[in-house]
Amino acid sequence: NMKAMILAAGYGRRLMPITNKIPKPLLKVGDQTLIERNINCLISSGFSEIIINVSHLSKLIINFVENTFPNQNILFSQEDQPLGTGGGILNALDLIGNETFLLTNSDIYHDINLKTLPKKTKVAHLVGVKNPEHNLNGDFSIENKNVFIKKNNNDLTWSGISLVNPKIFRENEFPSNSFNIWDQVLHQYISRGLVTGQKSSEIWIDVGTPKRLNLVNSAYNSDQ
């Protein structure tokens, strides 16, 4: 059974001052917090073991998750200070183990069907979405399922949802324990043509700023 990891350790700087008191994963869309929505999505997609890395206001996240999901197999990977999207995975490798796992950001609101993802990957498999207004140049492009990066404009934005083979953290040396997965890990494999991907046309909003938090809540309210 594939494990899933939710990245929930960041400071949420672009959402300050809200995030001085409320960690970003506990911000609400409608009547549900972002992390609750993402955990429910994982559970309904068949993920029974979930790892969450926490740092900023970590006690609030842990208490909330344990109270909301008392019967789920959810483990926490604590970080004294946020280690970044790559460092957080490296720090949690003992919990993750050796098999392909699903990686997702905690601060996205989406309808992406996780059951369409492959069961295994040799390196990484990324889900791309149509470029939103805050990232019109995109992050990567896909041809025949292979991910590559064009010089200027790319067709897709990384959704924050991927499959990752943890061996890519074990077979590399990192200069520090705090780093970003995109620059320090994925980039080199993408440039070698080893990363695959797929496009999703479902609803996807990255709730990184107050404006986008308002946007997602108005989108949610008009859906009801």
mmCIF file with all atom_site columns, all heavy atoms in Angstrom, residues 11-36:
data_model
loop_
_atom_site.group_PDB
_atom_site.id
_atom_site.type_symbol
_atom_site.label_atom_id
_atom_site.label_alt_id
_atom_site.label_comp_id
_atom_site.label_asym_id
_atom_site.label_entity_id
_atom_site.label_seq_id
_atom_site.pdbx_PDB_ins_code
_atom_site.Cartn_x
_atom_site.Cartn_y
_atom_site.Cartn_z
_atom_site.occupancy
_atom_site.B_iso_or_equiv
_atom_site.pdbx_formal_charge
_atom_site.auth_seq_id
_atom_site.auth_comp_id
_atom_site.auth_asym_id
_atom_site.auth_atom_id
_atom_site.pdbx_PDB_model_num
ATOM 1   N N   . TYR A 1 11 ? 6.389   28.370 6.877  1.00 0.00 ? 11 TYR A N   1
ATOM 2   C CA  . TYR A 1 11 ? 5.942   29.519 7.680  1.00 0.00 ? 11 TYR A CA  1
ATOM 3   C C   . TYR A 1 11 ? 4.706   30.194 7.104  1.00 0.00 ? 11 TYR A C   1
ATOM 4   O O   . TYR A 1 11 ? 4.024   30.929 7.803  1.00 0.00 ? 11 TYR A O   1
ATOM 5   C CB  . TYR A 1 11 ? 7.057   30.571 7.754  1.00 0.00 ? 11 TYR A CB  1
ATOM 6   C CG  . TYR A 1 11 ? 8.212   30.181 8.644  1.00 0.00 ? 11 TYR A CG  1
ATOM 7   C CD1 . TYR A 1 11 ? 9.479   29.998 8.108  1.00 0.00 ? 11 TYR A CD1 1
ATOM 8   C CD2 . TYR A 1 11 ? 8.040   30.020 10.017 1.00 0.00 ? 11 TYR A CD2 1
ATOM 9   C CE1 . TYR A 1 11 ? 10.554  29.653 8.918  1.00 0.00 ? 11 TYR A CE1 1
ATOM 10  C CE2 . TYR A 1 11 ? 9.094   29.671 10.835 1.00 0.00 ? 11 TYR A CE2 1
ATOM 11  C CZ  . TYR A 1 11 ? 10.361  29.487 10.285 1.00 0.00 ? 11 TYR A CZ  1
ATOM 12  O OH  . TYR A 1 11 ? 11.403  29.143 11.091 1.00 0.00 ? 11 TYR A OH  1
ATOM 13  N N   . GLY A 1 12 ? 4.444   30.007 5.822  1.00 0.00 ? 12 GLY A N   1
ATOM 14  C CA  . GLY A 1 12 ? 3.327   30.726 5.202  1.00 0.00 ? 12 GLY A CA  1
ATOM 15  C C   . GLY A 1 12 ? 3.553   32.227 5.207  1.00 0.00 ? 12 GLY A C   1
ATOM 16  O O   . GLY A 1 12 ? 2.651   33.019 5.483  1.00 0.00 ? 12 GLY A O   1
ATOM 17  N N   . ARG A 1 13 ? 4.810   32.630 4.865  1.00 0.00 ? 13 ARG A N   1
ATOM 18  C CA  . ARG A 1 13 ? 5.186   34.053 4.976  1.00 0.00 ? 13 ARG A CA  1
ATOM 19  C C   . ARG A 1 13 ? 4.289   34.986 4.177  1.00 0.00 ? 13 ARG A C   1
ATOM 20  O O   . ARG A 1 13 ? 3.992   36.100 4.600  1.00 0.00 ? 13 ARG A O   1
ATOM 21  C CB  . ARG A 1 13 ? 6.628   34.250 4.503  1.00 0.00 ? 13 ARG A CB  1
ATOM 22  C CG  . ARG A 1 13 ? 7.652   33.633 5.427  1.00 0.00 ? 13 ARG A CG  1
ATOM 23  C CD  . ARG A 1 13 ? 9.062   34.031 5.008  1.00 0.00 ? 13 ARG A CD  1
ATOM 24  N NE  . ARG A 1 13 ? 10.074  33.134 5.551  1.00 0.00 ? 13 ARG A NE  1
ATOM 25  C CZ  . ARG A 1 13 ? 10.519  33.191 6.797  1.00 0.00 ? 13 ARG A CZ  1
ATOM 26  N NH1 . ARG A 1 13 ? 10.032  34.058 7.641  1.00 0.00 ? 13 ARG A NH1 1
ATOM 27  N NH2 . ARG A 1 13 ? 11.445  32.333 7.217  1.00 0.00 ? 13 ARG A NH2 1
ATOM 28  N N   . ARG A 1 14 ? 3.871   34.536 2.972  1.00 0.00 ? 14 ARG A N   1
ATOM 29  C CA  . ARG A 1 14 ? 3.082   35.446 2.126  1.00 0.00 ? 14 ARG A CA  1
ATOM 30  C C   . ARG A 1 14 ? 1.681   35.662 2.688  1.00 0.00 ? 14 ARG A C   1
ATOM 31  O O   . ARG A 1 14 ? 0.942   36.520 2.232  1.00 0.00 ? 14 ARG A O   1
ATOM 32  C CB  . ARG A 1 14 ? 3.004   34.897 0.688  1.00 0.00 ? 14 ARG A CB  1
ATOM 33  C CG  . ARG A 1 14 ? 4.345   34.900 -0.034 1.00 0.00 ? 14 ARG A CG  1
ATOM 34  C CD  . ARG A 1 14 ? 4.274   34.121 -1.323 1.00 0.00 ? 14 ARG A CD  1
ATOM 35  N NE  . ARG A 1 14 ? 3.827   32.755 -1.095 1.00 0.00 ? 14 ARG A NE  1
ATOM 36  C CZ  . ARG A 1 14 ? 3.448   31.921 -2.049 1.00 0.00 ? 14 ARG A CZ  1
ATOM 37  N NH1 . ARG A 1 14 ? 3.450   32.309 -3.308 1.00 0.00 ? 14 ARG A NH1 1
ATOM 38  N NH2 . ARG A 1 14 ? 3.070   30.701 -1.757 1.00 0.00 ? 14 ARG A NH2 1
ATOM 39  N N   . LEU A 1 15 ? 1.310   34.857 3.678  1.00 0.00 ? 15 LEU A N   1
ATOM 40  C CA  . LEU A 1 15 ? -0.018  35.019 4.288  1.00 0.00 ? 15 LEU A CA  1
ATOM 41  C C   . LEU A 1 15 ? 0.059   35.693 5.656  1.00 0.00 ? 15 LEU A C   1
ATOM 42  O O   . LEU A 1 15 ? -0.918  35.728 6.392  1.00 0.00 ? 15 LEU A O   1
ATOM 43  C CB  . LEU A 1 15 ? -0.699  33.650 4.427  1.00 0.00 ? 15 LEU A CB  1
ATOM 44  C CG  . LEU A 1 15 ? -1.389  33.161 3.154  1.00 0.00 ? 15 LEU A CG  1
ATOM 45  C CD1 . LEU A 1 15 ? -1.490  31.652 3.138  1.00 0.00 ? 15 LEU A CD1 1
ATOM 46  C CD2 . LEU A 1 15 ? -2.771  33.772 3.009  1.00 0.00 ? 15 LEU A CD2 1
ATOM 47  N N   . MET A 1 16 ? 1.250   36.191 6.023  1.00 0.00 ? 16 MET A N   1
ATOM 48  C CA  . MET A 1 16 ? 1.322   36.922 7.293  1.00 0.00 ? 16 MET A CA  1
ATOM 49  C C   . MET A 1 16 ? 0.475   38.185 7.179  1.00 0.00 ? 16 MET A C   1
ATOM 50  O O   . MET A 1 16 ? 0.350   38.722 6.100  1.00 0.00 ? 16 MET A O   1
ATOM 51  C CB  . MET A 1 16 ? 2.776   37.273 7.596  1.00 0.00 ? 16 MET A CB  1
ATOM 52  C CG  . MET A 1 16 ? 3.580   36.051 8.028  1.00 0.00 ? 16 MET A CG  1
ATOM 53  S SD  . MET A 1 16 ? 5.306   36.504 8.340  1.00 0.00 ? 16 MET A SD  1
ATOM 54  C CE  . MET A 1 16 ? 5.937   34.941 8.976  1.00 0.00 ? 16 MET A CE  1
ATOM 55  N N   . PRO A 1 17 ? -0.137  38.696 8.257  1.00 0.00 ? 17 PRO A N   1
ATOM 56  C CA  . PRO A 1 17 ? 0.002   38.235 9.637  1.00 0.00 ? 17 PRO A CA  1
ATOM 57  C C   . PRO A 1 17 ? -0.909  37.076 10.034 1.00 0.00 ? 17 PRO A C   1
ATOM 58  O O   . PRO A 1 17 ? -0.803  36.601 11.150 1.00 0.00 ? 17 PRO A O   1
ATOM 59  C CB  . PRO A 1 17 ? -0.370  39.486 10.438 1.00 0.00 ? 17 PRO A CB  1
ATOM 60  C CG  . PRO A 1 17 ? -1.376  40.192 9.574  1.00 0.00 ? 17 PRO A CG  1
ATOM 61  C CD  . PRO A 1 17 ? -0.942  39.912 8.152  1.00 0.00 ? 17 PRO A CD  1
ATOM 62  N N   . ILE A 1 18 ? -1.804  36.620 9.148  1.00 0.00 ? 18 ILE A N   1
ATOM 63  C CA  . ILE A 1 18 ? -2.721  35.524 9.524  1.00 0.00 ? 18 ILE A CA  1
ATOM 64  C C   . ILE A 1 18 ? -1.933  34.336 10.069 1.00 0.00 ? 18 ILE A C   1
ATOM 65  O O   . ILE A 1 18 ? -2.283  33.745 11.089 1.00 0.00 ? 18 ILE A O   1
ATOM 66  C CB  . ILE A 1 18 ? -3.528  35.011 8.288  1.00 0.00 ? 18 ILE A CB  1
ATOM 67  C CG1 . ILE A 1 18 ? -4.149  36.154 7.486  1.00 0.00 ? 18 ILE A CG1 1
ATOM 68  C CG2 . ILE A 1 18 ? -4.608  34.021 8.711  1.00 0.00 ? 18 ILE A CG2 1
ATOM 69  C CD1 . ILE A 1 18 ? -4.754  35.711 6.157  1.00 0.00 ? 18 ILE A CD1 1
ATOM 70  N N   . THR A 1 19 ? -0.829  34.003 9.368  1.00 0.00 ? 19 THR A N   1
ATOM 71  C CA  . THR A 1 19 ? -0.096  32.775 9.695  1.00 0.00 ? 19 THR A CA  1
ATOM 72  C C   . THR A 1 19 ? 0.832   32.931 10.898 1.00 0.00 ? 19 THR A C   1
ATOM 73  O O   . THR A 1 19 ? 1.513   31.979 11.281 1.00 0.00 ? 19 THR A O   1
ATOM 74  C CB  . THR A 1 19 ? 0.704   32.291 8.470  1.00 0.00 ? 19 THR A CB  1
ATOM 75  O OG1 . THR A 1 19 ? 1.329   33.429 7.852  1.00 0.00 ? 19 THR A OG1 1
ATOM 76  C CG2 . THR A 1 19 ? -0.193  31.606 7.475  1.00 0.00 ? 19 THR A CG2 1
ATOM 77  N N   . ASN A 1 20 ? 0.853   34.126 11.523 1.00 0.00 ? 20 ASN A N   1
ATOM 78  C CA  . ASN A 1 20 ? 1.580   34.240 12.789 1.00 0.00 ? 20 ASN A CA  1
ATOM 79  C C   . ASN A 1 20 ? 0.868   33.438 13.875 1.00 0.00 ? 20 ASN A C   1
ATOM 80  O O   . ASN A 1 20 ? 1.496   32.979 14.824 1.00 0.00 ? 20 ASN A O   1
ATOM 81  C CB  . ASN A 1 20 ? 1.674   35.711 13.233 1.00 0.00 ? 20 ASN A CB  1
ATOM 82  C CG  . ASN A 1 20 ? 2.592   36.505 12.311 1.00 0.00 ? 20 ASN A CG  1
ATOM 83  O OD1 . ASN A 1 20 ? 3.461   35.931 11.662 1.00 0.00 ? 20 ASN A OD1 1
ATOM 84  N ND2 . ASN A 1 20 ? 2.389   37.812 12.250 1.00 0.00 ? 20 ASN A ND2 1
ATOM 85  N N   . LYS A 1 21 ? -0.450  33.303 13.722 1.00 0.00 ? 21 LYS A N   1
ATOM 86  C CA  . LYS A 1 21 ? -1.230  32.605 14.753 1.00 0.00 ? 21 LYS A CA  1
ATOM 87  C C   . LYS A 1 21 ? -1.843  31.303 14.247 1.00 0.00 ? 21 LYS A C   1
ATOM 88  O O   . LYS A 1 21 ? -2.062  30.374 15.009 1.00 0.00 ? 21 LYS A O   1
ATOM 89  C CB  . LYS A 1 21 ? -2.355  33.522 15.255 1.00 0.00 ? 21 LYS A CB  1
ATOM 90  C CG  . LYS A 1 21 ? -1.872  34.710 16.068 1.00 0.00 ? 21 LYS A CG  1
ATOM 91  C CD  . LYS A 1 21 ? -2.996  35.238 16.949 1.00 0.00 ? 21 LYS A CD  1
ATOM 92  C CE  . LYS A 1 21 ? -2.509  36.357 17.860 1.00 0.00 ? 21 LYS A CE  1
ATOM 93  N NZ  . LYS A 1 21 ? -2.340  37.642 17.134 1.00 0.00 ? 21 LYS A NZ  1
ATOM 94  N N   . ILE A 1 22 ? -2.169  31.278 12.950 1.00 0.00 ? 22 ILE A N   1
ATOM 95  C CA  . ILE A 1 22 ? -2.803  30.087 12.373 1.00 0.00 ? 22 ILE A CA  1
ATOM 96  C C   . ILE A 1 22 ? -1.873  29.551 11.286 1.00 0.00 ? 22 ILE A C   1
ATOM 97  O O   . ILE A 1 22 ? -1.588  30.256 10.323 1.00 0.00 ? 22 ILE A O   1
ATOM 98  C CB  . ILE A 1 22 ? -4.168  30.427 11.723 1.00 0.00 ? 22 ILE A CB  1
ATOM 99  C CG1 . ILE A 1 22 ? -5.097  31.109 12.724 1.00 0.00 ? 22 ILE A CG1 1
ATOM 100 C CG2 . ILE A 1 22 ? -4.836  29.161 11.163 1.00 0.00 ? 22 ILE A CG2 1
ATOM 101 C CD1 . ILE A 1 22 ? -6.344  31.696 12.071 1.00 0.00 ? 22 ILE A CD1 1
ATOM 102 N N   . PRO A 1 23 ? -1.384  28.315 11.419 1.00 0.00 ? 23 PRO A N   1
ATOM 103 C CA  . PRO A 1 23 ? -0.532  27.795 10.342 1.00 0.00 ? 23 PRO A CA  1
ATOM 104 C C   . PRO A 1 23 ? -1.345  27.629 9.059  1.00 0.00 ? 23 PRO A C   1
ATOM 105 O O   . PRO A 1 23 ? -2.545  27.341 9.102  1.00 0.00 ? 23 PRO A O   1
ATOM 106 C CB  . PRO A 1 23 ? -0.053  26.445 10.884 1.00 0.00 ? 23 PRO A CB  1
ATOM 107 C CG  . PRO A 1 23 ? -1.045  26.057 11.926 1.00 0.00 ? 23 PRO A CG  1
ATOM 108 C CD  . PRO A 1 23 ? -1.633  27.326 12.480 1.00 0.00 ? 23 PRO A CD  1
ATOM 109 N N   . LYS A 1 24 ? -0.686  27.820 7.939  1.00 0.00 ? 24 LYS A N   1
ATOM 110 C CA  . LYS A 1 24 ? -1.381  27.791 6.644  1.00 0.00 ? 24 LYS A CA  1
ATOM 111 C C   . LYS A 1 24 ? -2.255  26.539 6.450  1.00 0.00 ? 24 LYS A C   1
ATOM 112 O O   . LYS A 1 24 ? -3.374  26.648 5.959  1.00 0.00 ? 24 LYS A O   1
ATOM 113 C CB  . LYS A 1 24 ? -0.345  27.936 5.518  1.00 0.00 ? 24 LYS A CB  1
ATOM 114 C CG  . LYS A 1 24 ? -0.958  28.122 4.154  1.00 0.00 ? 24 LYS A CG  1
ATOM 115 C CD  . LYS A 1 24 ? -0.024  28.796 3.149  1.00 0.00 ? 24 LYS A CD  1
ATOM 116 C CE  . LYS A 1 24 ? 1.219   28.023 2.836  1.00 0.00 ? 24 LYS A CE  1
ATOM 117 N NZ  . LYS A 1 24 ? 1.855   28.492 1.581  1.00 0.00 ? 24 LYS A NZ  1
ATOM 118 N N   . PRO A 1 25 ? -1.781  25.329 6.833  1.00 0.00 ? 25 PRO A N   1
ATOM 119 C CA  . PRO A 1 25 ? -2.618  24.137 6.616  1.00 0.00 ? 25 PRO A CA  1
ATOM 120 C C   . PRO A 1 25 ? -3.960  24.185 7.366  1.00 0.00 ? 25 PRO A C   1
ATOM 121 O O   . PRO A 1 25 ? -4.879  23.444 7.032  1.00 0.00 ? 25 PRO A O   1
ATOM 122 C CB  . PRO A 1 25 ? -1.758  22.987 7.145  1.00 0.00 ? 25 PRO A CB  1
ATOM 123 C CG  . PRO A 1 25 ? -0.349  23.504 7.079  1.00 0.00 ? 25 PRO A CG  1
ATOM 124 C CD  . PRO A 1 25 ? -0.441  24.978 7.339  1.00 0.00 ? 25 PRO A CD  1
ATOM 125 N N   . LEU A 1 26 ? -4.058  25.065 8.390  1.00 0.00 ? 26 LEU A N   1
ATOM 126 C CA  . LEU A 1 26 ? -5.310  25.142 9.155  1.00 0.00 ? 26 LEU A CA  1
ATOM 127 C C   . LEU A 1 26 ? -6.222  26.274 8.691  1.00 0.00 ? 26 LEU A C   1
ATOM 128 O O   . LEU A 1 26 ? -7.269  26.513 9.274  1.00 0.00 ? 26 LEU A O   1
ATOM 129 C CB  . LEU A 1 26 ? -5.020  25.283 10.656 1.00 0.00 ? 26 LEU A CB  1
ATOM 130 C CG  . LEU A 1 26 ? -4.308  24.085 11.324 1.00 0.00 ? 26 LEU A CG  1
ATOM 131 C CD1 . LEU A 1 26 ? -4.281  24.253 12.838 1.00 0.00 ? 26 LEU A CD1 1
ATOM 132 C CD2 . LEU A 1 26 ? -4.961  22.754 10.947 1.00 0.00 ? 26 LEU A CD2 1
ATOM 133 N N   . LEU A 1 27 ? -5.834  26.974 7.639  1.00 0.00 ? 27 LEU A N   1
ATOM 134 C CA  . LEU A 1 27 ? -6.742  27.967 7.062  1.00 0.00 ? 27 LEU A CA  1
ATOM 135 C C   . LEU A 1 27 ? -7.916  27.242 6.410  1.00 0.00 ? 27 LEU A C   1
ATOM 136 O O   . LEU A 1 27 ? -7.765  26.124 5.915  1.00 0.00 ? 27 LEU A O   1
ATOM 137 C CB  . LEU A 1 27 ? -6.003  28.829 6.040  1.00 0.00 ? 27 LEU A CB  1
ATOM 138 C CG  . LEU A 1 27 ? -4.900  29.708 6.635  1.00 0.00 ? 27 LEU A CG  1
ATOM 139 C CD1 . LEU A 1 27 ? -4.135  30.413 5.529  1.00 0.00 ? 27 LEU A CD1 1
ATOM 140 C CD2 . LEU A 1 27 ? -5.471  30.731 7.621  1.00 0.00 ? 27 LEU A CD2 1
ATOM 141 N N   . LYS A 1 28 ? -9.060  27.896 6.423  1.00 0.00 ? 28 LYS A N   1
ATOM 142 C CA  . LYS A 1 28 ? -10.271 27.191 5.964  1.00 0.00 ? 28 LYS A CA  1
ATOM 143 C C   . LYS A 1 28 ? -10.693 27.569 4.562  1.00 0.00 ? 28 LYS A C   1
ATOM 144 O O   . LYS A 1 28 ? -10.616 28.730 4.159  1.00 0.00 ? 28 LYS A O   1
ATOM 145 C CB  . LYS A 1 28 ? -11.427 27.490 6.923  1.00 0.00 ? 28 LYS A CB  1
ATOM 146 C CG  . LYS A 1 28 ? -11.342 26.698 8.206  1.00 0.00 ? 28 LYS A CG  1
ATOM 147 C CD  . LYS A 1 28 ? -12.619 26.835 9.008  1.00 0.00 ? 28 LYS A CD  1
ATOM 148 C CE  . LYS A 1 28 ? -12.624 25.825 10.147 1.00 0.00 ? 28 LYS A CE  1
ATOM 149 N NZ  . LYS A 1 28 ? -13.820 25.967 10.978 1.00 0.00 ? 28 LYS A NZ  1
ATOM 150 N N   . VAL A 1 29 ? -11.155 26.561 3.848  1.00 0.00 ? 29 VAL A N   1
ATOM 151 C CA  . VAL A 1 29 ? -11.913 26.781 2.619  1.00 0.00 ? 29 VAL A CA  1
ATOM 152 C C   . VAL A 1 29 ? -13.307 26.273 2.926  1.00 0.00 ? 29 VAL A C   1
ATOM 153 O O   . VAL A 1 29 ? -13.500 25.090 3.217  1.00 0.00 ? 29 VAL A O   1
ATOM 154 C CB  . VAL A 1 29 ? -11.305 26.012 1.436  1.00 0.00 ? 29 VAL A CB  1
ATOM 155 C CG1 . VAL A 1 29 ? -12.229 26.129 0.226  1.00 0.00 ? 29 VAL A CG1 1
ATOM 156 C CG2 . VAL A 1 29 ? -9.924  26.547 1.102  1.00 0.00 ? 29 VAL A CG2 1
ATOM 157 N N   . GLY A 1 30 ? -14.288 27.183 2.912  1.00 0.00 ? 30 GLY A N   1
ATOM 158 C CA  . GLY A 1 30 ? -15.621 26.787 3.375  1.00 0.00 ? 30 GLY A CA  1
ATOM 159 C C   . GLY A 1 30 ? -15.512 26.423 4.845  1.00 0.00 ? 30 GLY A C   1
ATOM 160 O O   . GLY A 1 30 ? -14.930 27.148 5.638  1.00 0.00 ? 30 GLY A O   1
ATOM 161 N N   . ASP A 1 31 ? -16.023 25.246 5.204  1.00 0.00 ? 31 ASP A N   1
ATOM 162 C CA  . ASP A 1 31 ? -16.004 24.866 6.619  1.00 0.00 ? 31 ASP A CA  1
ATOM 163 C C   . ASP A 1 31 ? -14.907 23.840 6.925  1.00 0.00 ? 31 ASP A C   1
ATOM 164 O O   . ASP A 1 31 ? -14.888 23.255 7.987  1.00 0.00 ? 31 ASP A O   1
ATOM 165 C CB  . ASP A 1 31 ? -17.378 24.281 6.999  1.00 0.00 ? 31 ASP A CB  1
ATOM 166 C CG  . ASP A 1 31 ? -17.778 23.145 6.068  1.00 0.00 ? 31 ASP A CG  1
ATOM 167 O OD1 . ASP A 1 31 ? -17.028 22.869 5.100  1.00 0.00 ? 31 ASP A OD1 1
ATOM 168 O OD2 . ASP A 1 31 ? -18.841 22.531 6.294  1.00 0.00 ? 31 ASP A OD2 1
ATOM 169 N N   . GLN A 1 32 ? -13.995 23.626 5.983  1.00 0.00 ? 32 GLN A N   1
ATOM 170 C CA  . GLN A 1 32 ? -12.942 22.625 6.183  1.00 0.00 ? 32 GLN A CA  1
ATOM 171 C C   . GLN A 1 32 ? -11.567 23.244 6.057  1.00 0.00 ? 32 GLN A C   1
ATOM 172 O O   . GLN A 1 32 ? -11.333 24.066 5.171  1.00 0.00 ? 32 GLN A O   1
ATOM 173 C CB  . GLN A 1 32 ? -13.041 21.542 5.102  1.00 0.00 ? 32 GLN A CB  1
ATOM 174 C CG  . GLN A 1 32 ? -13.885 20.354 5.496  1.00 0.00 ? 32 GLN A CG  1
ATOM 175 C CD  . GLN A 1 32 ? -13.644 19.194 4.521  1.00 0.00 ? 32 GLN A CD  1
ATOM 176 O OE1 . GLN A 1 32 ? -13.261 19.398 3.374  1.00 0.00 ? 32 GLN A OE1 1
ATOM 177 N NE2 . GLN A 1 32 ? -13.852 17.988 4.984  1.00 0.00 ? 32 GLN A NE2 1
ATOM 178 N N   . THR A 1 33 ? -10.656 22.840 6.921  1.00 0.00 ? 33 THR A N   1
ATOM 179 C CA  . THR A 1 33 ? -9.289  23.331 6.778  1.00 0.00 ? 33 THR A CA  1
ATOM 180 C C   . THR A 1 33 ? -8.648  22.693 5.549  1.00 0.00 ? 33 THR A C   1
ATOM 181 O O   . THR A 1 33 ? -9.061  21.621 5.098  1.00 0.00 ? 33 THR A O   1
ATOM 182 C CB  . THR A 1 33 ? -8.431  22.992 8.006  1.00 0.00 ? 33 THR A CB  1
ATOM 183 O OG1 . THR A 1 33 ? -8.295  21.567 8.077  1.00 0.00 ? 33 THR A OG1 1
ATOM 184 C CG2 . THR A 1 33 ? -9.046  23.523 9.293  1.00 0.00 ? 33 THR A CG2 1
ATOM 185 N N   . LEU A 1 34 ? -7.602  23.365 5.049  1.00 0.00 ? 34 LEU A N   1
ATOM 186 C CA  . LEU A 1 34 ? -6.891  22.839 3.874  1.00 0.00 ? 34 LEU A CA  1
ATOM 187 C C   . LEU A 1 34 ? -6.332  21.451 4.145  1.00 0.00 ? 34 LEU A C   1
ATOM 188 O O   . LEU A 1 34 ? -6.432  20.550 3.312  1.00 0.00 ? 34 LEU A O   1
ATOM 189 C CB  . LEU A 1 34 ? -5.756  23.790 3.495  1.00 0.00 ? 34 LEU A CB  1
ATOM 190 C CG  . LEU A 1 34 ? -6.201  25.069 2.787  1.00 0.00 ? 34 LEU A CG  1
ATOM 191 C CD1 . LEU A 1 34 ? -5.079  26.094 2.808  1.00 0.00 ? 34 LEU A CD1 1
ATOM 192 C CD2 . LEU A 1 34 ? -6.627  24.773 1.355  1.00 0.00 ? 34 LEU A CD2 1
ATOM 193 N N   . ILE A 1 35 ? -5.749  21.250 5.323  1.00 0.00 ? 35 ILE A N   1
ATOM 194 C CA  . ILE A 1 35 ? -5.113  19.951 5.570  1.00 0.00 ? 35 ILE A CA  1
ATOM 195 C C   . ILE A 1 35 ? -6.160  18.850 5.709  1.00 0.00 ? 35 ILE A C   1
ATOM 196 O O   . ILE A 1 35 ? -5.967  17.728 5.246  1.00 0.00 ? 35 ILE A O   1
ATOM 197 C CB  . ILE A 1 35 ? -4.154  19.990 6.784  1.00 0.00 ? 35 ILE A CB  1
ATOM 198 C CG1 . ILE A 1 35 ? -3.183  18.805 6.678  1.00 0.00 ? 35 ILE A CG1 1
ATOM 199 C CG2 . ILE A 1 35 ? -4.893  20.014 8.110  1.00 0.00 ? 35 ILE A CG2 1
ATOM 200 C CD1 . ILE A 1 35 ? -1.913  18.956 7.476  1.00 0.00 ? 35 ILE A CD1 1
ATOM 201 N N   . GLU A 1 36 ? -7.292  19.192 6.293  1.00 0.00 ? 36 GLU A N   1
ATOM 202 C CA  . GLU A 1 36 ? -8.389  18.221 6.454  1.00 0.00 ? 36 GLU A CA  1
ATOM 203 C C   . GLU A 1 36 ? -8.893  17.780 5.070  1.00 0.00 ? 36 GLU A C   1
ATOM 204 O O   . GLU A 1 36 ? -9.102  16.597 4.802  1.00 0.00 ? 36 GLU A O   1
ATOM 205 C CB  . GLU A 1 36 ? -9.480  18.936 7.235  1.00 0.00 ? 36 GLU A CB  1
ATOM 206 C CG  . GLU A 1 36 ? -10.725 18.189 7.555  1.00 0.00 ? 36 GLU A CG  1
ATOM 207 C CD  . GLU A 1 36 ? -11.685 19.110 8.320  1.00 0.00 ? 36 GLU A CD  1
ATOM 208 O OE1 . GLU A 1 36 ? -11.354 20.294 8.584  1.00 0.00 ? 36 GLU A OE1 1
ATOM 209 O OE2 . GLU A 1 36 ? -12.769 18.622 8.640  1.00 0.00 ? 36 GLU A OE2 1
#
